[in-house]
Amino acid sequence: MTSFFKDIPEITYEGADTANEFAFRHYNPAETLGDRTMAEHLRFAVAYWHSFAWPGGDSFGGQTFERPWFGETMEHARQKADVAFEMFRILGQPYYCWHDADVRPEGDSLAENRARMEEMTDYLGGKMEEVGTKLLWGTANLFSNRRFMSGAATNPDPDVYAYSAATVKYCLDATLRLGGENYVLWGGREGYETLLNTDIRREREQAGRFLCAVVDYARKIGFNGTILIEPKPQEPTKHQYDFDVCTVYGFLKDFGLEGDVKVNIEHGHAILAGHSFEHELAMAGALGLFGSIDMNRNDYQSGWDTDQFPNSVPEVALAYYEVLKAGGFTTGGTNFDAKLRRQSLEPEDLILSHVGAMDVCARGLKAAVAMLEDGTLEEARTKRYAGWTTKERQALLTQPLDKIAAWAEANSINPSPVSGRQERLEKIVNRFV
Ligand code: XLS
Ligand code: NI
Ligand code: NI
């Protein structure tokens, strides 16, 4: 036990009427909704980086958080893990996620980084056993250190490609050893700042080759989890190659990886791409790519990736509606890739941000399950496409253009527009949220 969270008790479900801040009002892990418990539906995870490694800086100022584990020694890294698992215990968090650079201090060489990661993997493994928290996913930080400033897999320097491959290798090894259920690749610097110095055709091919090597190695070592790409259109680079779900789909198809890799969709990244969260989720469902989610929103006015905890039930409800329609999570889950605002200094803020977010997700999930069970929305959708159910109309999808034209004229086809009923459907959603 560490003393960081003082006497904050373990958070339990007390129901919607409780005035206790340190209790769940909606997240009741054992409660059954449809075919699963809430815990099985939501599969919550804490992001190690935002809660324990981020110092609270922004583009105009540095560290605001003072944490006893900030420092570059292995002792600091172990202390950080102790506090992290203390928080997971208090929250009853089933999962967590890391980048290598969050859990181990930066060494003087690649070999030292690997060795430190191995040492920390053992330490984390012990903690996981003690507290019962599992690893949702591991990932490599191929964007913070200056060596990655011009990209990792897409770097013009082949030595950076090699360094990145070696880093992903030890991260996959660690993920496997800790029983991680997924492995994520987010291409933070896999993009460019200016075309004047960039060969995009070549960089895209490097990225494709890199991903093939990652998939092959994961299978070779017996990693049965899901490999996920996390799309994002920009930030930190001006143009990021994995722009959105559709772009990733095209990329995977190009390299024959559409059956091997799925997507981790982040709310804030969807917004940056000019989409809604539910758009990206529905697209992934439709393309057979749905894997996992990062549940953190952006500020709608600032236009930055602000990584805020979710706090809008209607938004979250529409997201889980699409998650459920895509079949729900298998290996994936709800990762709070969210950070405190830099003024939220107290240890309590770390706990209560997660408690609040878990409750918002639970309420959103309940609404989504209820909307599906009610069925009105799905009935209306089915009805809208009912014209396609006759044999004659279905045949249109197999006929050449000239045949269709002849058929349309012969039958005096003259479509009469039908209401899309958007406001009526939105009104139905509001019955549930
Ligand atoms: C950054 C990303 C990052 C990934 C993991 O915007 O969301 O945190 O989730 O590398
Ligand atoms: Ni993000
Ligand atoms: Ni993310």
Side-chain angles (χ1 to χ4, degrees):
M1 285 261 278
T2 72
S3 55
F4 185 70
F5 292 112
K6 303 211 175 68
D7 25 86
I8 299 181
E10 279 182 28
I11 313 291
T12 56
Y13 172 71
E14 291 186 5
D17 296 332
T18 187
N20 179 6
E21 260 197 306
F22 291 91
F24 294 120
R25 299 173 62 236
H26 300 280
Y27 179 57
N28 183 10
E31 185 180 326
T32 303
L33 284 178
D35 58 343
R36 306 177 196 192
T37 64
M38 256 195 226
E40 288 163 349
H41 271 296
L42 293 164
R43 296 167 58 83
F44 286 131
V46 171
Y48 209 91
W49 49 101
H50 286 318
S51 288
F52 306 108
W54 180 62
D58 65 14
S59 352
F60 300 91
Q63 177 169 349
T64 56
F65 299 136
E66 282 167 356
R67 309 294 199 211
W69 60 86
F70 282 172
E72 283 302 307
T73 68
M74 286 298 278
E75 195 37 49
H76 286 116
R78 281 187 289 270
Q79 200 187 344
K80 193 199 295 183
D82 292 344
V83 174
F85 279 83
E86 185 74 10
M87 184 170 101
F88 305 159
R89 186 187 60 74
I90 292 171
L91 290 169
Q93 276 289 337
Y95 291 98
Y96 77 117
C97 305
W98 47 245
H99 302 84
D100 56 336
D102 312 325
V103 297
R104 55 118 186 96
E106 186 69 23
D108 289 332
S109 66
L110 174 60
E112 190 172 32
N113 278 352
R114 179 190 43 74
R116 288 180 167 188
M117 189 63 194
E118 283 167 2
E119 204 180 318
M120 281 312 295
T121 302
D122 286 341
Y123 195 75
L124 293 170
K127 289 266 139 196
M128 287 166 68
E129 201 142 294
E130 189 186 313
V131 177
T133 310
K134 296 186 278 182
L135 181 64
L136 187 65
W137 44 266
T139 187
N141 181 327
L142 303 177
F143 45 88
S144 294
N145 193 285
R146 67 193 289 275
R147 77 174 66 85
F148 302 118
M149 70 176 193
S150 316
T154 61
N155 203 290
D157 179 353
D159 288 4
V160 180
Y161 183 96
Y163 197 106
S164 306
T167 305
V168 171
K169 181 197 171 290
Y170 75 61
C171 286
L172 269 167
D173 291 340
T175 302
L176 176 74
R177 212 148 103 225
L178 295 175
E181 299 187 26
N182 307 269
Y183 184 83
V184 165
L185 295 112
W186 169 61
R189 306 258 174 213
E190 312 292 26
Y192 67 89
E193 299 299 329
T194 171
L195 274 180
L196 296 175
N197 66 11
T198 304
D199 179 344
I200 44 175
R201 185 191 178 95
R202 158 162 223 136
E203 293 201 359
R204 197 166 168 278
E205 271 162 22
Q206 284 177 212
R209 178 56 215 143
F210 191 90
L211 188 57
C212 289
V214 169
V215 169
D216 287 347
Y217 181 72
R219 299 302 170 236
K220 185 169 124 189
I221 59 174
F223 176 71
N224 294 322
T226 312
I227 296 179
L228 301 165
I229 285 194
E230 185 174 320
K232 186 175 183 181
Q234 82 244 3
E235 226 196 283
T237 61
K238 163 106 175 99
H239 295 273
Q240 211 153 293
Y241 296 128
D242 298 329
F243 191 95
D244 62 358
V245 170
C246 261
T247 311
V248 168
Y249 184 68
F251 173 77
L252 293 176
K253 279 287 235 193
D254 212 1
F255 293 93
L257 292 169
E258 69 274 19
D260 297 295
V261 177
K262 294 192 161 31
V263 283
N264 180 40
I265 302 171
E266 178 166 315
H267 187 179
H269 298 184
I271 296 172
L272 284 179
H275 300 309
S276 65
F277 197 13
E278 59 270 24
H279 165 90
E280 287 290 81
L281 292 163
M283 194 56 84
L287 297 172
L289 282 190
F290 175 68
S292 199
I293 63 176
D294 274 4
M295 184 54 102
N296 44 288
R297 68 192 170 92
N298 283 2
D299 183 290
Y300 284 105
Q301 284 76 44
S302 76
W304 293 333
D305 185 13
T306 52
D307 289 330
Q308 288 171 253
F309 286 90
N311 72 352
S312 158
V313 174
E315 265 182 2
V316 165
L318 290 177
Y320 281 117
Y321 192 73
E322 296 303 330
V323 169
L324 292 171
K325 289 209 328 159
F329 295 123
T330 50
T331 62
T334 303
N335 173 41
F336 295 117
D337 189 357
K339 59 184 179 233
L340 294 174
R341 298 306 86 196
R342 68 198 290 272
Q343 300 175 50
S344 303
L345 301 178
E346 294 162 5
E348 282 81 355
D349 295 321
L350 267 178
I351 302 287
L352 293 178
S353 54
H354 285 91
V355 172
M358 289 159 86
D359 266 345
V360 166
C361 290
R363 273 184 79 179
L365 172 74
K366 280 193 231 173
V369 170
M371 286 193 285
L372 270 178
E373 278 175 356
D374 169 80
T376 315
L377 290 171
E378 289 313 299
E379 258 165 52
R381 191 197 312 270
T382 309
K383 208 168 146 208
R384 189 153 180 255
Y385 294 88
W388 284 98
T389 53
T390 67
K391 268 224 163 81
E392 201 183 29
R393 288 336 193 248
Q394 274 171 25
L396 294 172
L397 295 176
T398 58
Q399 280 165 0
L401 216 57
D402 50 355
K403 262 221 154 148
I404 297 176
W407 176 85
E409 276 201 23
N411 290 281
S412 314
I413 294 297
N414 186 15
S416 44
V418 177
S419 173
R421 301 185 164 183
Q422 181 168 339
E423 297 77 8
R424 287 168 72 173
L425 297 171
E426 287 168 348
K427 185 164 163 289
I428 291 169
V429 170
N430 280 339
R431 273 184 16 220
F432 297 92
V433 298

